[in-house]
C-alpha cells in the first residue's frame, strides 16, 4: 500500500487497483485530494479495472462527492473501468439524494 496524501487527519492511499480515502474531506483539501488521485489514475494502463473506497470518510461531505466525480472523470479519460465505489455510512444518504447510483457503481457500507 502506498500513501499518496496525508494532511490534517485526511489520508489517501492506494493498493493494487484501489484508491482509499479516510478522514474528513473538506473543501480546503478537496482539490489536493482530487489531484493526487487523478495523477495515480493516469499512471495506469488503459483497460485496467479500478475501485474507489470511501468507506473511511468520517462525515457527510459534498467535497468528497466532488472528488469522487473528478476521479470518475479521470478514470474515464484514462480508459479505465470503474468497478466499484464503496461508501461510508455518512456518504450513502448524500449520494442517494444526488442520484449518483445512475452514474457510478456504488456500494454502501455493509453491502
Amino acid at each position: 500500500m502506498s500513501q499518496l496524501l496525508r494532511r490534517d487527519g485526511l489520508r489517501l492511499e492506494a493498493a493494487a487497483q484501489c484508491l482509499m480515502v479516510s478522514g474528513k474531506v473538506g473543501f480546503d483539501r478537496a482539490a489536493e485530494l482530487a489531484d493526487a488521485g487523478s495523477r495515480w489514475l493516469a499512471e495506469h494502463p488503459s483497460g485496467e479495472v479500478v475501485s474507489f473506497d470511501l468507506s473511511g470518510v468520517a462525515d457527510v461531505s459534498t467535497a468528497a462527492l466532488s472528488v469522487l466525480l473528478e476521479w470518475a472523470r479521470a478514470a474515464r479519460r484514462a480508459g479505465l473501468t470503474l468497478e466499484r465505489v464503496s461508501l461510508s455510512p455518512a456518504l450513502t444518504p448524500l449520494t442517494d439524494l444526488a442520484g449518483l447510483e445512475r452514474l457510478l457503481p456504488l456500494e454502501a457500507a455493509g453491502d
Side-chain angles (χ1 to χ4, degrees), residues 22-61:
S22 61
K24 184 177 179 181
V25 180
F27 282 102
D28 58 333
R29 296 283 180 222
E32 187 177 14
L33 182 62
D35 186 51
S38 294
R39 282 193 314 268
W40 181 85
L41 290 163
E43 294 172 359
H44 288 75
S46 181
E48 195 165 276
V49 175
V50 296
S51 296
F52 305 150
D53 182 350
L54 284 79
S55 62
V57 173
D59 58 338
V60 175
S61 171

Side-chain angles (χ1 to χ4, degrees), residues 29-97:
R29 296 283 180 222
E32 187 177 14
L33 182 62
D35 186 51
S38 294
R39 282 193 314 268
W40 181 85
L41 290 163
E43 294 172 359
H44 288 75
S46 181
E48 195 165 276
V49 175
V50 296
S51 296
F52 305 150
D53 182 350
L54 284 79
S55 62
V57 173
D59 58 338
V60 175
S61 171
T62 56
L65 294 188
S66 296
V67 169
L68 174 58
L69 291 171
E70 177 55 35
W71 287 350
R73 285 188 293 270
R76 204 169 21 259
R77 280 191 306 267
L80 305 173
T81 299
L82 180 55
E83 179 179 57
R84 181 181 63 253
V85 177
S86 301
L87 300 172
S88 69
L91 285 178
T92 300
L94 187 58
T95 56
D96 290 346
L97 182 64

Side-chain angles (χ1 to χ4, degrees), residues 2-23:
S2 64
Q3 188 166 282
L4 304 176
L5 178 68
R6 184 176 185 167
R7 300 269 191 283
D8 304 324
L10 173 64
R11 272 192 206 166
L12 174 61
E13 298 174 316
Q17 282 75 34
C18 186
L19 281 174
M20 297 167 285
V21 182
S22 61

